[in-house]
Amino acid sequence: MKVLFIADPMASFKTYKDTTYAMMREMAKRGWQLFHTLSGELSVREGWVVAQAAAFEFVGAKNDDDHEWFKSEAKVQTALKDFDAVIMRTDPPFDMQYLYATQF
């Protein structure tokens, strides 16, 4: 499976309590390919919704405050249709950026 997470910056995750982090860890254990983008990195190109998405892998956190738990590859413009699943997991507030991203 190839899964894109539209989420807050991963370095800001509180890994000891973040459910998005827990979902990502479980998917990685299953061998799924994981990608990340921000909601502001979505756009429409030639009729397709695309994201500046970066593949990432887990490298292990030293403690609950370690924000270097992942290693990202370079961002690549990828159509959302090329993913098996797209999961939007941004923290509140509900604002116009969130609304626009969900409409894509």
Side-chain angles (χ1 to χ4, degrees):
M1 292 269 303
K2 190 173 172 182
V3 180
L4 173 66
F5 280 86
I6 303 170
D8 298 317
M10 293 194 307
S12 71
F13 285 15
K14 293 176 177 60
T15 58
Y16 61 93
K17 70 173 188 173
D18 196 303
T19 54
T20 302
Y21 173 83
M23 291 170 64
M24 291 172 165
R25 290 294 295 192
E26 182 59 33
M27 290 176 185
K29 285 180 191 175
R30 295 173 185 227
W32 298 1
Q33 291 179 288
L34 302 179
F35 297 79
H36 175 264
T37 193
L38 302 171
S39 61
E41 295 178 319
L42 299 173
S43 61
V44 176
R45 298 282 187 259
E46 299 178 9
W48 296 102
V49 178
V50 297
Q52 293 297 323
F56 70 92
E57 61 184 35
F58 289 88
V59 293
K62 296 174 189 69
N63 58 53
D64 289 343
D65 297 318
D66 186 354
H67 299 289
E68 296 181 15
W69 53 268
F70 64 95
K71 180 181 177 189
S72 289
E73 295 179 10
K75 293 181 180 183
V76 176
Q77 184 171 292
T78 309
L80 268 57
K81 69 176 184 65
D82 293 337
F83 295 99
D84 295 304
V86 177
I87 301 172
M88 187 157 182
R89 298 283 299 176
T90 56
D91 285 338
F94 177 86
D95 58 11
M96 294 310 291
Q97 180 65 46
Y98 179 86
L99 180 63
Y100 295 145
T102 58
Q103 289 174 341
F104 276 143

